[in-house]
């Protein structure tokens, strides 16, 4: 474990609604209702010394991008990329990232979605797991080279969900499948592409063609995905195993 830095790096964010208190089972996370505190030294598996995220004001995304239509001349991905280029702002403030992510994922994983007959098999708890996990995962970073520069347990959210939400292996696989494709039909995928402009990129599934607990991350447009896959395949089993150790330790303690 790296030497502990100053307490000033520990940061607190006031979310719009309370988070599941069991996130405290993950090292480095403290939860007090809607107030979430993260100690980066304890939370991240790997982190850069001076991380920089790209953000776009969420209100601006809602006002100008969410209603944008794809045309024969411009795909939704092109429009989103141009929007990020025009309005993106770099920040070194992880609290700003979480605040933005909270708004993005309360939109994408709103309980109102459950009125859609297409999601009749999705529960309010499923939506909460997706929303909270994705919010924490927004802190993960991938460089344009494809190198994973900052990564924490929420990247592998199906496995982490076993710790936080007491899911068994089948339940974790089911949530992974929702995230991988069951939730994001084409209509919601297009909406997600535009919404993720607020986090400066696009959602890429680590598992690619099938649900295998590799999670995913919001990455910059144009990132080297070949390097990304090599990075993830090299380290993911070690990181996933460290999360599963928390499951085992909890089983022993109870």
């Amino acid at each position: 474990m790296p030497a502990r830095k100053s307490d000033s790096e520990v940061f607190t964010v006031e979310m719009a609604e309370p988070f599941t208190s069991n996130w405290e089972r993950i090292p480095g996370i403290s939860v007090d209702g809607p107030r979430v505190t993260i100690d980066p030294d304890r939370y991240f598996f790997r982190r850069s010394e001076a991380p920089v995220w790209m953000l776009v004001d969420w209100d601006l995304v809602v006002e100008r991008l969410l209603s944008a239509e794809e045309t024969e001349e411009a795909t939704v991905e092109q429009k989103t990329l141009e929007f990020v280029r025009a309005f993106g702002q770099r920040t070194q403030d992880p609290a700003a990232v979480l605040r933005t992510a909270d708004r993005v994922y309360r939109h994408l994983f709103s309980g109102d979605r459950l009125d859609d007959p297409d999601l009749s098999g999705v529960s309010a708890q499923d939506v909460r797991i997706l929303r909270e996990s994705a919010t924490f995962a927004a802190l993960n970073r991938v460089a344009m080279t494809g190198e994973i520069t900052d990564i924490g347990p929420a990247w592998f959210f199906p496995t982490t969900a076993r710790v936080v939400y007491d899911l068994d292996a089948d339940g974790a696989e089911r949530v992974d499948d929702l995230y991988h494709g069951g939730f994001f039909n084409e209509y919601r995928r297009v909406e997600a592409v535009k919404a993720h402009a607020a986090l400066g990129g696009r959602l890429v599934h680590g598992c690619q063609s099938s649900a295998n607990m590799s999670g995913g991350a919001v990455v910059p447009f144009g990132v080297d995905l070949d390097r990304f896959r090599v990075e993830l395949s090299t380290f993911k089993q070690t990181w996933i195993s460290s999360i599963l150790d928390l499951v085992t330790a909890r089983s022993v303690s109870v």
Side-chain angles (χ1 to χ4, degrees):
M1 180 177 293
R4 184 172 179 80
K5 308 268 193 321
S6 66
D7 288 340
S8 63
E9 290 198 18
V10 177
F11 62 94
T12 298
V13 179
E14 194 82 17
M15 303 296 193
E17 56 189 88
F19 264 49
T20 301
S21 61
N22 285 347
W23 275 102
E24 292 194 339
R25 296 173 181 173
I26 303 299
I29 296 181
S30 300
V31 178
D32 182 9
R35 183 172 299 170
V36 173
T37 300
I38 293 184
D39 179 345
D41 279 333
R42 296 181 59 221
Y43 173 73
F44 284 100
F45 296 135
R46 174 196 286 178
R47 70 184 183 107
S48 50
E49 290 187 2
V52 178
W53 293 268
M54 177 72 76
L55 297 179
V56 177
D57 181 76
W58 173 246
D59 290 333
L60 194 64
V61 172
V62 172
E63 178 185 346
R64 301 192 188 184
L65 185 61
L66 290 189
S67 60
E69 298 288 342
E70 187 171 75
T71 68
E72 293 183 15
E73 290 76 29
T75 66
V76 66
E77 288 83 3
Q78 287 174 301
K79 289 178 179 287
T80 302
L81 172 58
E82 292 170 1
F83 200 85
V84 172
R85 284 176 172 171
F87 300 107
Q89 299 289 326
R90 299 183 183 277
T91 181
Q92 291 184 292
D93 182 6
V97 177
L98 281 189
R99 283 192 294 269
T100 300
D102 184 42
R103 301 187 71 183
V104 170
Y105 293 115
R106 279 192 295 115
H107 170 74
L108 290 177
F109 298 123
S110 166
D112 294 340
R113 306 277 182 177
L114 301 182
D115 293 334
D116 187 341
D118 187 41
L119 296 176
S120 59
V122 180
S123 69
Q125 179 69 347
D126 293 332
V127 171
R128 182 170 191 171
I129 292 171
L130 291 170
R131 184 181 70 248
E132 294 182 350
S133 300
T135 299
F136 283 123
L139 292 172
N140 297 315
R141 293 178 61 252
V142 179
M144 292 298 295
T145 61
E147 179 187 5
I148 298 170
T149 56
D150 298 83
I151 184 169
W155 180 302
F156 307 102
F157 80 91
T159 305
T160 299
R162 295 186 62 181
V163 181
V164 177
Y165 303 98
D166 295 316
L167 301 184
D168 57 19
D170 289 341
E173 184 174 346
R174 177 176 175 277
V175 171
D176 192 19
D177 190 56
L178 274 178
Y179 176 79
H180 184 266
F183 194 93
F184 290 115
N185 66 1
E186 182 58 17
Y187 173 79
R188 286 186 291 275
R189 184 197 70 80
V190 167
E191 186 177 24
V193 168
K194 293 184 285 188
H196 280 110
L199 295 172
R202 63 191 179 96
L203 180 65
V204 171
H205 300 291
C207 37
Q208 299 302 313
S209 60
S210 61
N212 63 10
M213 307 299 170
S214 295
V218 178
V219 306
F221 285 95
V223 72
D224 185 340
L225 290 180
D226 289 335
R227 170 73 181 277
F228 167 84
R229 293 189 184 100
V230 170
E231 280 273 292
L232 189 58
S233 64
T234 300
F235 300 107
K236 74 173 185 179
Q237 199 52 58
T238 298
W239 289 329
I240 289 175
S241 295
S242 71
I243 300 170
L244 289 176
D245 287 343
L246 296 174
V247 178
T248 302
R250 177 162 175 76
S251 298
V252 171
S253 67
V254 297

